Amino acid sequence: MVRISRASGTLAFPADFLLVACANPCPCGRKALECRCGDAQRMRYARRLSAPLLDRFDLRLRIDAAGSEAGESSEETRARVCAAIERQRGRLGGTRWRRNAHIPAGALEVLVALPRDAHAAWDDACRLRRLTGRGAARVRRVARTFADLADRAAVTADDVMRAAWLREDVW
């Protein structure tokens, strides 16, 4: 829900969205070799995005210049994503949630149960990366999504490590 409050009253609207954001690595936005920004400028620029805000992003990824490697086609990706969504719907059918992203932290232990090796990887990631509760829950949800995309019933330690890696600091 999105609530808009004004002096005349409050309105509530249903909301289900995916937020994608991007930022330059420094104020000038130039390539690394062309950048003339100093370390202090870059640090000041990076601090504009607060840790609590960044903690709310499931994936944080640095993207450098595009490479020449061709990945799977958009059609193949779409088919894989649609199949993963169907797996999520089937698994979450008896609940009020439709996607892994919707599962509240309190229900993750039951709905996103981790095998022993994956749980150990999750514990290690939480400790080594000093993840907040929110960050730990997001890693678990993303790992479950990786398993869904790969058409696997169980989350693997590799899924957890990939999900944790995608929460790296990008500055």
Side-chain angles (χ1 to χ4, degrees):
M1 285 290 218
V2 172
R3 295 187 203 296
I4 300 175
S5 298
R6 296 285 182 250
S8 60
T10 299
L11 296 172
F13 300 98
D16 186 12
F17 65 93
L18 174 68
L19 175 64
V20 178
C22 65
N24 288 323
C26 66
C28 74
R30 294 189 182 108
K31 295 178 185 175
L33 295 175
E34 298 171 9
C35 177
R36 300 291 182 243
C37 299
D39 290 341
Q41 284 177 294
R42 281 192 213 95
M43 292 295 286
R44 192 170 36 256
Y45 182 73
R47 281 195 306 265
R48 293 176 67 191
L49 295 175
S50 70
L53 174 65
L54 288 173
D55 201 28
R56 286 167 168 79
F57 284 91
D58 290 353
L59 309 174
R60 299 190 303 236
L61 177 66
R62 169 174 248 133
I63 299 175
D64 294 317
S68 60
E69 289 183 36
E72 71 183 4
S73 71
S74 296
E75 190 175 302
E76 292 168 320
T77 301
R78 183 181 190 285
R80 215 161 43 91
V81 169
C82 287
I85 289 169
E86 286 307 311
R87 274 189 284 288
Q88 290 175 35
R89 282 187 184 144
R91 189 176 52 258
L92 299 171
T95 71
R96 52 184 231 217
W97 306 293
R98 296 176 295 138
R99 302 271 189 347
N100 296 334
H102 300 152
I103 303 170
L108 285 172
E109 194 65 41
V110 172
L111 295 174
V112 184
L114 299 175
R116 184 174 300 200
D117 63 331
H119 203 286
W122 182 70
D123 283 340
D124 288 346
C126 292
R127 186 175 34 79
L128 292 172
R129 299 180 192 284
R130 293 181 279 166
L131 296 176
T132 63
R134 180 179 286 116
R138 290 182 186 279
V139 164
R140 198 168 184 142
R141 288 184 199 102
V142 170
R144 176 66 259 174
T145 300
F146 282 144
D148 288 335
L149 287 167
D151 195 14
R152 284 194 310 276
V155 176
T156 66
D158 204 35
D159 295 328
V160 171
M161 290 186 295
R162 284 178 60 202
W165 177 78
L166 286 171
R167 285 194 61 80
E168 288 282 323
D169 288 330
V170 294
W171 298 105

